[in-house]
Amino acid sequence: MDSSPNFLDPQALSELKDLRLRAAAIVDGLVSGMHRSPYQGHSVEFSQHREYVAGDEIRHVDWKVFARTDKIHLKQYEDETNLCCTLLVDQSESMGFAGPDAPWNKFEFGSCLAVAFAWLVLNQRDAVSIGTFADTLVPPARPTDQREAIDKIVNRLKSATPRGSTRFADCLNAFAVENSRRQVVVLISDCFDEFDSVARGLEALRRRDHQVILLQVLDRSEIDFDFGEALELSGMESEPTFRVDPIAVQQAYRKVVEEKTAQLSTFCLNQQILFEQVCTQSNVGSVIRKLMQRNSGRRWMSK
């Protein structure tokens, strides 16, 4: 397989029908090791013990301590990270939209972004999990730092189908209630919900002190509305169908989009949320690199 950066182009990736192959292409083209963790890790310098939790690797068990105490403890080391990253991907019906010239729909693009993020996290020996949401939250599995998790993430996304409406506040509040331990939460969504609902959902995460990254995924036609003839538009989340003249409403439409984007961007800035609006025609690798550059100088889990 060609592993050049060109394989990160949306058209090239869209031609790979299998998400696992897309993931491999993204991984081959991305740089590794975007951060050095300030927390504890797998270096040669021993730091401390902690109690064993179901699912931990037994290779880190201190068998001498077990022999003395009959209790299982793990060794921890100076450079080990305890960063945990949860990816939450919007699978509402509107995420199934693709414009006339789009190489893939928003959910497919978002899935590739999620896999790329997961690989970065695992490559740094950190833990990752993935969940999806629409009108309800499909809870993420237990976070893991095992490389094999990529296959499970890919399979979970492959089995998900865009459906239902978006309930940001309900879903993110449900996640916040069940996940009190602070972590990095990467949200991938078109944010097609009332602003108040989006804001309340994001606030629920910030109250738990989670570090939040919000990627608003949109098709280029949703941003520019550059259709050349009369359209019959059908709402994808229980909205009515109506006819419009795109040329007549294009200027007003773009103004509304700009205002909504500015509102969301300002809110995220005030909440210390890293926000980026991305287009499905974008280069996946460029999107990830830009986010990491913006995040440089900030600790992933700063106190």
Side-chain angles (χ1 to χ4, degrees), residues 159-176:
S159 65
T161 302
R163 48 89 183 135
S165 57
T166 312
R167 293 184 178 177
F168 240 82
D170 293 345
C171 294
L172 298 191
N173 186 64
F175 175 85

Side-chain angles (χ1 to χ4, degrees), residues 200-251:
R200 286 188 289 115
L202 295 173
E203 286 172 340
L205 297 179
R206 292 298 292 136
R207 280 196 299 271
R208 295 286 187 175
D209 207 23
H210 295 310
Q211 180 175 326
V212 182
I213 298 174
L214 174 60
L215 293 174
Q216 184 186 30
V217 175
L218 296 176
D219 186 273
R220 180 176 295 155
S221 61
E222 294 175 318
I223 300 172
D224 297 333
F225 207 70
D226 52 354
F227 300 99
E229 55 187 30
L231 300 170
E232 184 174 276
L233 301 179
S234 299
M236 300 188 73
E237 296 189 15
S238 302
E239 296 295 331
T241 298
F242 51 93
R243 291 185 63 81
V244 298
D245 179 352
I247 298 176
V249 303
Q250 185 183 72
Q251 185 174 354

